[in-house]
Amino acid sequence: MSNTDFVLAIEDLTVSFDGFKAVDALSMYIDKNELRVVIGPNGAGKTTVLDLICGKTKSSSGSIKFNNIELTQLAEHEIVRAGIGRKFQTPSIYENLTVYQNLEVSYPVGRSVWGSLTFKRTQALSEQVNKIAAEVLLTEHLQMEAALLSHGQKQWLEIGMLLMQDPELLMLDEPVAGMSAKERDQTADLLNRICQNRSVLVIEHDMEFVKKIAHKVTVLHQGKILAEGSMEKVQSDEKVIEVYLGH
Amino acid sequence: MKELSDKLLGGRQGAVGLAILALLLFVVFPLCLDLFRLGLLGKYVTYAFVAVSLVLLWGNGGILSLGQGMFFGLGGYCMAMFLKLEASDPVSTKIQTTPGIPDFMDWNQLTELPWFWLPFKSLPLTLVLVLVVPTLLAFIIGYAMFKRRVGGVYFAIITQAIALILSILIIGQQGYTGGVNGITDLKTMLGWDIRTDSAKYILYFVNAGLLIGCMLLARYILTSKFGMLLLAMRDKEERVRFSGYDVSNFKIFIFCVAAMMSGIGGAMFTLQVGFMSPSFVGIVPSIEMVIFAAVGGRMSLIGAVYGTLLVNFGRTMFSETFPELWLFLMGGLFIAVVMFFPDGLAGIYDKYARKFNIAGVTSKYVAKFSKKAAKMIGEKYE
Ligand SMILES: Nc1ncnc2c1ncn2[C@@H]1O[C@H](COP(=O)(O)OP(=O)(O)OP(=O)(O)O)[C@@H](O)[C@H]1O
Ligand SMILES: [Mg+2]
């Protein structure tokens, strides 16, 4: 594959679990500063695509290039350091630490053993923590134990932890699951703000929410792309209505 | 969880706690206990090195090693090999078939010192090996396990199996290791007789000093970003990995540190008790060490030390009266602690200390007491 201008270029990606192809010869391209939403029925392979990109699952064949760097051979932490952040489907935060500490742990300085032992809590760190906490609406809760946050706040915290690393590509798996209507609106605003100078890949089921944020939508079904394009185009696609939106 | 951050940062409470412990170890116990009891205490303090290492590894890192005894034993054996060689000089072993080698080698028809005993002719080299041998073994085990993402129960069982294998190996290779009796009849270190009363006092203080040193090192690690990462890994390993950290390196490192601390404890055991044997290497001692840490509080460096001392004094008292019952009692104690007080003595203390502001009150008493103690010591040596 030749070099491209895409931030992320997935080509012919396949993974099979005991013969079952969860992702099947998938090709997908994401532009700089694009906010892409991937939708599709349960079990379509959406989470698996994120797993493949961030190295959690190894692909059977195909290529994933991030800024023209091949990712399929890299270890998980190397993929993160290349500039990709990923939020898990169920909020994955450190419940025993405070909100502040959760953000501090995610600060991308002192990532080696020695670096973490000699790491100094600098002014820059606390500024960054405060900035991100304000961004994800958790300023009031910085000293709170993360386990005590509401479900929606835990989702925000995890997004905040990713923002601490200032990734070039941010991948969010169902970020508004378990949120109230008001929290969903706030999250939509948040995503529209943070995609200003980075690409964002969101998996979501909530169509109202998708409408508010998506630049472009990809519909996944049985590991393959069913349709791709603007929200209006995808919504009026007959195949999409049949397998996903119809019910 | 401000509480947690305070404790991690050492805070006032942490500093007071350490000061009280140091005061007990350096002043109160030496003044109140006769040399025999103080010797026992010194022995227990060597186990506390392992308990402290388990606070790092298990309490904070969530990595349960059921094989810390092997590192304790290796440190102890390194020291014992040096002392044994010094005790086996050609003059005092002249009745042997081959004078100049340890007695058990002679009994097993060895006529030459095995190659791996040679470094232990030198004290500086021995001291280095006390640190390096346990650390190196931990590195090999840790690298093989953590790079393959073996963790949890599997890691615990594998460490236990390795400890068992090591103890069987030591017992089986009698001619090289002294077998089941271990290495005994240790006398002098560079001509300094370690069995005299003054030597016992000196070794006791060196031991206590090293323990405090290890605790300071542990506290430094826990208050650094590394310590926070340990907690994070214990909680959500995946999240740490997908935040750009190579989790296995952190686990290998803390496992190595824990092994090194345990090894220091083992070497000090040999020096104070005067022998080392495979009964400190296998499964039973390894599990006992975990119980010490659990009873004291696996999250608390200071708690783990008290836990070790209390359980061991309990054992000594009990096994004088009802030796058969002790094992059951210890098992029961462990279950009770795990079920009802997961944070051990330290957890109980924390809960009630907060209520009655014990830290404030005790620090006042400590200040008073240390003045008195200083005066007493002054008078004693006048
Ligand atoms: N590690 C695995 N081993 C075996 N099968 C797997 C594995 N991971 C995913 N699958 C299967 O692959 C399919 C796709 O799963 P995936 O989690 O990607 O779906 P999804 O689109 O994220 O669904 P949802 O909307 O429910 O989150 C499912 O049938 C799932 O059972
Ligand atoms: Mg999913």
Side-chain angles (χ1 to χ4, degrees), chain A residues 16-18 20-23 40-49 51 57 89 173-174 203 205 220:
Chain A
S16 64
F17 301 116
D18 304 321
F20 166 71
K21 285 186 175 167
V23 173
N42 291 112
K46 304 181 294 295
T47 300
T48 308
V49 171
D51 285 348
T57 305
Q89 189 162 343
D173 201 344
E174 306 203 3
I203 294 176
H205 282 292
L220 216 58

Side-chain angles (χ1 to χ4, degrees), chain B residues 358-379:
Chain B
I358 288 186
V361 178
T362 30
S363 63
K364 228 168 44 202
Y365 277 104
V366 166
K368 242 195 202 156
F369 185 82
S370 26
K371 255 191 231 144
K372 244 197 208 149
K375 231 170 91 191
M376 266 171 78
I377 296 171
E379 279 162 11

Side-chain angles (χ1 to χ4, degrees), chain B residues 12 23 28 31 74-76 78 103 120 140 142 185 190 196 231 241 269-270 278 292 300 304 322 352 366 373:
Chain B
R12 213 189 80 185
L23 192 73
V28 179
L31 286 179
L74 281 174
C78 286
D103 47 11
F120 297 99
I140 294 168
D185 292 327
L190 293 186
T196 60
L231 291 174
R241 184 171 291 130
F269 178 96
T270 302
F292 302 159
S300 162
F322 317 101
Y352 294 102
V366 166

Side-chain angles (χ1 to χ4, degrees), chain A residues 94 97 101-102 104-107 109-117 119 121, chain B residues 8 60-62 221-237 239-241 243-247 250-251 254:
Chain A
Y94 313 119
L97 301 183
Q101 289 173 322
N102 268 276
E104 183 182 331
V105 165
S106 313
Y107 191 57
V109 177
R111 274 173 164 170
S112 65
V113 168
W114 186 247
S116 71
L117 284 169
F119 176 77
R121 294 180 170 91
Chain B
L8 279 182
N60 285 274
I221 291 175
L222 290 181
T223 51
S224 71
K225 182 174 180 181
F226 189 105
M228 210 191 288
L229 277 164
L230 277 182
L231 291 174
M233 277 172 2
R234 192 188 67 181
D235 200 357
K236 290 262 170 21
E237 186 174 327
R239 184 67 270 170
V240 178
R241 184 171 291 130
S243 298
Y245 298 95
D246 189 347
V247 168
F250 288 79
K251 291 188 171 183
I254 201 67

Side-chain angles (χ1 to χ4, degrees), chain B residues 25 69 132 135 216 331 351:
Chain B
L25 286 178
V132 168
T135 311
L216 290 175
K351 203 164 145 199

Side-chain angles (χ1 to χ4, degrees), chain A residues 25 63 65 76 84 88 116 129 138 151 190 238 241:
Chain A
S63 136
K65 287 201 171 177
E76 294 95 327
I84 297 183
F88 291 93
S116 71
V129 169
L138 291 173
H151 193 77
L190 169 66
E238 273 173 30
I241 294 172

